[in-house]
Amino acid sequence: MNNTLRFPDEFLWGASTSAYQIEGAYNDDNKGENIWDRFVRRDARVLNGDTGDIACDHYHRMPQDVALLKKLGIPCYSFTISWTRILPEGRGQINVKGLDFYNRLVDTLLDAGIRPKATLYHWDFPQLLQDLGGWPNRDSVDWFAEYAQIVFEKLADRVKFWVTHNEPWVVAFLGYATGIHAPGVCDYSQAYQTAHHLLMAHGKAVQVYRQGGYDGQIGLTLNLNGLMPASDSDEDRAATQRVHDETHALFLDPVFKGEYPQALFNFIGPHKPNIQAGDLQLIRQPIDFLGLNYYNTDLVAFDIHSGLNKARLTPYSAPSWGRTEMNWGIYPAGIKGEALYVKKRYGNPDLYIAENGCAMPDEPDENGFVADWDRIRYIKAHIQALHEVIQEGVNLKGYFVWSIFDNFEWERGYGPRFGLVRVNYETLERIPKQSAYWYRDVITNNAINL
Ligand code: FCB
């Protein structure tokens, strides 16, 4: 029996990070304040009072970090750009030092033979623009386009792989509905308006990119986690459909079909966003690929007390899998379900898994080494499911693990560790875990061994 699952020759392996989670240097070199800089200073918003002020100090250690990526054989590095490093006030005056950091990052990556992939927005909105209303303000579409244009002009000659937004659902609903993320607002109307403006901002940035005539590809990354009804009851099925519409169709339908899910809008009634003539055309720009982030699957039950959707989510795990350190379920087949869903409903676009990985209870030995076989098991099972996805005709082009480094995990601070590389937050030393070496072999062989 052949126990090796080989991937197509052109399959792209990579690793992802995000600016606020690793860079630190929160006020160096004229960087402006963003909403996470502000949020972490509000009482009890982040576990243990942790902040991203220093994080992995990647801003100061970038050359060594790129050298480590090279040593670990990472072919493509997916990073995100901090808006207020480039535009401290969110618009207007450009900060050359901020732009220069990303310029150096890109050159250092290319010198190391690593392909750069850049995301414009991973949740760190400029505070001064937040003071003007943030994403719920329709002007945010133009603010974002201005920022995008500046970044493209500087970097798109060398960066050929662009993402507008990472996980707009999280921005809209955790930022503006449940308020567990910055800016900490609890208002469904603002959440839906934010979703609409994020989509318009995406469309406008794609237009700007096309008008610039750059010869790369641009897309959007969504978190499409799995959902299953907790029972066969009509109530649970309907609740699942609502959550599915909010997390999937609300973003996929306008981008790929130029329409919003009407059943959801009927259900939320007065909370639905203001949409003007031409908005949906702007959103429906052809994109070159879709980024899909998958971590877990939840069971959904009707619950009159649970939010606008009246839906309660509980983690689901396949037999023998248990849960991750985040208390997320583990269901590798779910990643396959999501990829097949996108293929079936949205015309089989080129697809990248832009994030997948897990926080595990890493136990370093006396040298700081972590033998994280549980993480390897998780990642391998998901990659195995993706191999099946390719056999079933999905245009899956690559896989990016979240994350290369342990980092600041938003409202959970430095508790959960997702990295293939351990970061000692006292000394800031980086120590590759077992999974980093295992992943290097996967990349070298372009295959997993079962
Ligand atoms: C995703 C985020 C990423 C990280 C992982 C665990 O939703 O995009 O920043 O926090 O979850």
Side-chain angles (χ1 to χ4, degrees):
M1 200 179 109
N2 185 358
N3 283 335
T4 301
L5 299 180
R6 201 161 295 288
F7 280 75
D9 286 348
E10 302 304 313
F11 196 79
L12 186 64
W13 299 98
S16 302
T17 61
S18 95
Y20 189 77
Q21 293 178 275
I22 65 163
E23 285 179 359
Y26 79 108
N27 61 2
D28 278 39
D29 289 344
N30 313 322
K31 175 179 158 292
E33 188 188 19
N34 66 46
I35 57 173
W36 273 91
D37 294 320
R38 178 72 62 98
F39 192 70
V40 295
R41 289 176 169 71
R42 285 168 64 174
D43 289 344
R45 292 301 178 118
V46 174
L47 225 57
N48 304 318
D50 289 346
T51 75
D53 290 2
I54 298 173
C56 304
D57 198 32
H58 170 71
Y59 188 76
H60 296 120
R61 292 159 198 255
M62 181 274 285
Q64 299 95 299
D65 283 345
V66 173
L68 182 55
L69 289 170
K70 181 176 181 183
K71 184 176 155 215
L72 295 174
I74 303 293
C76 183
Y77 175 57
S78 178
F79 61 94
T80 83
I81 295 174
S82 160
W83 186 336
T84 58
R85 280 200 199 286
I86 299 201
L87 292 160
E89 298 176 5
R91 55 183 174 163
Q93 193 66 42
I94 296 175
N95 177 32
V96 177
K97 285 185 173 170
L99 258 184
D100 190 52
F101 169 70
Y102 296 104
N103 206 36
R104 280 185 285 118
L105 170 61
V106 168
D107 284 343
T108 311
L109 287 166
L110 291 171
D111 284 349
I114 300 170
R115 208 171 136 186
K117 169 174 177 248
T119 297
L120 291 171
Y121 188 67
H122 196 126
W123 313 352
D124 42 2
F125 196 78
Q127 183 61 45
L128 281 174
L129 299 182
Q130 189 65 39
D131 296 342
L132 299 178
W135 287 115
N137 181 338
R138 197 177 159 92
D139 291 344
S140 58
V141 177
D142 291 331
W143 300 334
F144 185 70
E146 177 187 336
Y147 158 59
Q149 177 145 25
I150 292 163
V151 175
F152 293 150
E153 272 169 16
K154 185 73 180 177
L155 302 178
D157 59 333
R158 285 153 295 148
V159 178
K160 307 288 180 189
F161 200 2
W162 290 95
V163 175
T164 54
H165 293 298
N166 174 70
E167 301 190 347
W169 178 86
V170 171
V171 176
F173 288 89
L174 301 192
Y176 287 90
T178 60
I180 66 174
H181 278 189
V185 174
C186 300
D187 175 347
Y188 280 100
S189 298
Q190 289 191 53
Y192 274 96
Q193 200 60 51
T194 292
H196 182 57
H197 292 159
L198 286 166
L199 285 162
M200 288 176 65
H202 155 77
K204 194 142 188 180
V206 173
Q207 273 186 344
V208 169
Y209 187 73
R210 303 290 184 221
Q211 281 155 10
Y214 306 109
D215 63 342
Q217 41 175 352
I218 188 163
L220 169 72
T221 291
L222 302 178
N223 51 310
L224 303 181
N225 282 346
L227 300 163
M228 300 196 293
S231 81
D232 268 347
S233 74
D234 289 348
E235 290 84 356
D236 288 354
R237 283 167 180 279
T240 308
Q241 187 60 50
R242 289 195 292 278
V243 178
H244 201 275
D245 281 351
E246 182 198 279
T247 54
H248 290 59
L250 179 64
F251 300 93
L252 288 162
D253 283 6
V255 169
F256 287 102
K257 300 182 168 181
E259 64 194 30
Y260 275 118
Q262 278 316 313
L264 178 71
F265 279 9
N266 293 342
F267 186 82
I268 64 171
H271 297 292
K272 74 174 194 265
N274 290 319
I275 301 167
Q276 297 182 15
D279 289 0
L280 280 157
Q281 284 89 312
L282 174 62
I283 295 169
R284 190 192 193 178
Q285 301 294 317
I287 53 175
D288 301 314
F289 64 90
L290 181 73
L292 192 167
N293 294 353
Y294 175 88
Y295 289 93
N296 57 339
T297 290
D298 286 311
L299 296 174
V300 186
F302 171 73
D303 179 356
I304 193 81
H305 301 297
S306 284
L308 188 61
N309 278 331
K310 307 196 187 314
R312 183 163 33 85
L313 275 59
T314 48
Y316 176 77
S317 287
S320 92
W321 276 99
R323 294 194 180 171
T324 74
E325 187 75 352
M326 304 270 277
N327 202 29
W328 290 352
I330 304 179
Y331 183 50
I335 201 169
K336 181 176 171 185
E338 294 305 313
L340 289 173
Y341 176 81
V342 169
K343 170 181 181 244
K344 187 165 155 222
R345 248 188 94 105
Y346 299 101
N348 206 5
D350 280 2
L351 202 63
Y352 290 87
I353 301 302
E355 287 183 21
N356 171 247
C358 57
M360 289 297 182
D362 294 353
E363 295 291 346
D365 67 14
E366 63 281 6
N367 300 316
F369 179 74
V370 180
D372 54 344
W373 297 104
D374 46 3
R375 179 172 290 105
I376 292 171
R377 182 173 177 238
Y378 174 104
I379 296 173
K380 186 199 263 188
H382 287 78
I383 293 178
Q384 184 179 348
L386 291 171
H387 191 269
E388 294 172 20
V389 154
I390 297 172
Q391 312 313 308
E392 295 190 29
V394 172
N395 286 324
L396 182 70
K397 302 294 182 193
Y399 173 90
F400 289 73
V401 70
W402 181 273
S403 176
I404 191 66
F405 303 119
D406 290 340
N407 60 48
F408 176 82
E409 180 49 36
W410 308 111
E411 78 281 10
R412 291 175 171 94
Y414 293 101
R417 291 174 176 270
F418 275 87
L420 303 194
V421 173
R422 182 172 178 86
V423 176
N424 176 327
Y425 294 119
E426 251 110 69
T427 61
L428 294 170
E429 192 186 356
R430 281 82 160 125
I431 305 173
K433 304 176 193 176
Q434 190 75 55
S435 55
Y437 299 115
W438 174 83
Y439 192 51
R440 185 173 65 184
D441 287 345
V442 171
I443 294 165
T444 309
N445 301 330
N446 197 27
I448 51 168
N449 293 312
L450 299 181

